[in-house]
Amino acid sequence: MKNLGILLSGRGSNFEAIAKNATSGKIPDARIVMVISNKPAAEGLEIARRLGLTALVISSKGKEREEHDREVVAALKEQKVDLVCLAGYMRLLSPWFVQQFPRRILNIHPSLLPAFPGLEAQEQAFAYGVKVAGCTVHFVDEELDHGPIIVQKAIPVLDTDDEHSLAARILEQEHIAYSEAIGIVLTGNYEIVGRRLNQK
Ligand code: GAR
């Protein structure tokens, strides 16, 4: 059984989808052992408590990045977390954090990377006028929204879309893509060549 640790800052819908798929066995041999938010008001904390999961607030307010990261990593290691899943965690990890879990930190981003990294990716994509949008699950490295790609899902942008309907349809894909990516990483049946992840 592999231990997942979730980091989030807000709504928590990706976390909830992962929790559901871990419980149902869609993600095999995995369980969420803790949820950490850097924001005390994150709705994701409520979901965690409702599901009976350990939910921790480690506030980042007024702390140096690495100082905060050291507290988060200590909590993750205490619970013997094997894989760290960033699920709407709106905070850049320090290089030190990344080095504590080599190829063991995943992130989801609501665009087809490398297009539209950073904040409000769906709005950026819509405003740019793209005809295809989507989401990316990738390994976290020292650069923002950058590490090797594990799963991407693409959807067409419809003429009837606005940025809200587009974001909602991307989110549906996020909920599928994240569990798929966790499954790939946990089985270990892949190799990374350069930036390419090839499933074996
Ligand atoms: C998701 O759309 C996720 O892709 C995005 O934040 C949202 C969190 O929603 N993450 C980023 O933009 C990271 N750069 P959720 O809290 O309901 O999972």
Side-chain angles (χ1 to χ4, degrees):
M1 188 63 91
K2 295 285 192 217
N3 293 337
L4 307 179
I6 306 278
L7 301 191
L8 52 76
S9 305
R11 182 176 55 187
S13 74
N14 275 290
F15 148 55
E16 194 170 13
I18 294 166
K20 196 171 134 217
N21 289 330
T23 306
S24 74
K26 221 179 216 177
I27 306 172
D29 297 321
R31 61 172 176 209
I32 295 173
V33 292
M34 71 185 324
V35 176
I36 300 175
S37 172
N38 65 318
K39 301 270 181 207
E43 300 95 309
L45 289 166
E46 283 308 310
I47 301 172
R49 292 186 191 115
R50 197 177 75 225
L51 296 175
L53 297 169
T54 303
L56 225 64
V57 176
I58 302 180
S59 174
S60 50
K61 211 171 168 190
K63 283 179 199 154
E64 294 283 336
R65 187 173 307 285
E66 201 175 305
E67 179 194 355
H68 178 252
D69 282 357
R70 281 185 187 275
E71 290 178 37
V72 174
V73 166
L76 294 168
K77 291 203 164 162
E78 199 181 300
Q79 294 293 323
K80 301 203 165 24
V81 164
D82 298 298
L83 188 66
V84 181
C85 300
L86 310 187
Y89 188 62
M90 302 316 248
R91 198 171 158 82
L92 200 62
L93 302 189
S94 61
W96 178 81
F97 190 147
V98 176
Q99 285 152 20
Q100 300 310 302
F101 291 92
R103 293 270 190 265
R104 289 283 159 204
I105 310 174
L106 309 189
N107 180 44
I108 187 151
H109 185 72
S111 78
L112 295 172
L113 289 171
F116 313 117
L119 293 176
E120 294 176 352
Q122 310 93 324
E123 287 81 351
Q124 289 186 54
F126 185 79
Y128 199 90
V130 300
K131 297 295 185 194
V132 178
C135 65
T136 305
V137 185
H138 63 92
F139 286 106
V140 171
D141 66 9
E142 274 92 351
E143 287 176 56
L144 177 69
D145 299 330
H146 179 266
I149 292 169
I150 306 160
V151 170
Q152 285 188 311
K153 300 277 180 200
I155 56 163
V157 181
L158 309 175
D159 291 344
T160 50
D161 268 328
D162 60 18
E163 60 265 48
H164 304 293
S165 63
L166 179 63
R169 284 191 298 113
I170 292 173
L171 191 63
E172 283 174 21
Q173 297 303 311
E174 293 186 43
H175 294 165
I176 300 166
Y178 215 152
S179 295
E180 233 177 81
I182 292 169
I184 291 169
V185 173
L186 291 185
T187 61
N189 287 331
Y190 65 88
E191 55 177 8
I192 300 174
V193 183
R195 288 192 47 90
R196 294 203 66 79
L197 179 144
N198 301 318
Q199 280 183 260
K200 289 197 228 163

